[in-house]
């Protein structure tokens, strides 16, 4: 993993920022599969934030250290989003806006293997 970190907020919640490789299957938003993306998660604690990402199919998600914590602008962006999960290309090119997590994961909303139809 390239980098990540967290910031504890005054109310006890945390914002976790991770740089991950883009999973295949996402919608066309300018970056291809395997390109690095910056993902922000707002949750009650660090473990819950990582669990939220793992439940979406991003299985190899770990936070080791605090070398790239979220910036104040990133914290503001994730706090103002109703889902509390955002992403954009990393490194940021120009003034790219934050995208909701479903734009990264594709129409199924899950980054894991396709499930067989019942």
């Amino acid at each position: 993993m390239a980098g990540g970190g967290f910031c504890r907020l005054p109310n006890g919640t945390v914002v976790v920022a991770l740089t991950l490789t883009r999973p295949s299957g996402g919608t066309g938003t300018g970056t291809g599969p395997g390109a690095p993306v910056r993902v922000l998660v707002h949750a009650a604690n660090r473990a819950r934030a990582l669990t939220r990402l793992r439940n979406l199919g991003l299985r190899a998600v770990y936070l080791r250290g605090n070398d790239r914590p979220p910036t104040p602008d990133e914290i503001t962006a994730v706090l103002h989003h109703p889902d509390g999960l955002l992403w954009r290309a990393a490194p940021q090119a120009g003034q790219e806006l934050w995208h909701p997590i479903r734009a990264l994961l594709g129409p199924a909303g899950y980054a894991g293997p396709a499930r067989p139809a019942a």
Side-chain angles (χ1 to χ4, degrees):
M1 176 168 319
F6 70 96
C7 180
R8 184 166 304 280
L9 303 177
N11 65 359
T13 61
V14 297
V15 174
V16 173
L18 297 166
T19 303
L20 306 171
T21 57
R22 181 186 170 109
S24 61
T27 59
T29 54
T31 60
V37 293
R38 181 84 164 166
V39 178
L40 301 176
V41 184
H42 179 233
N45 55 47
R46 286 179 287 176
R48 179 77 63 137
L50 297 176
T51 299
R52 289 185 72 187
L53 291 173
R54 289 180 185 133
N55 287 343
L56 293 171
L58 300 170
R59 298 290 181 207
V61 177
Y62 298 99
L63 180 61
R64 294 188 176 106
N66 199 17
D67 62 338
R68 293 199 50 214
T71 64
D73 290 338
E74 290 175 334
I75 293 170
T76 300
V78 77
L79 289 178
H80 285 86
H81 193 270
D83 292 338
L85 278 164
L86 298 172
W87 73 276
R88 72 175 168 197
Q92 182 183 359
Q95 294 292 329
E96 182 183 3
L97 298 176
W98 290 98
H99 307 283
I101 197 72
R102 65 186 156 272
L104 177 65
L105 302 176
Y110 178 73
R115 296 183 182 175

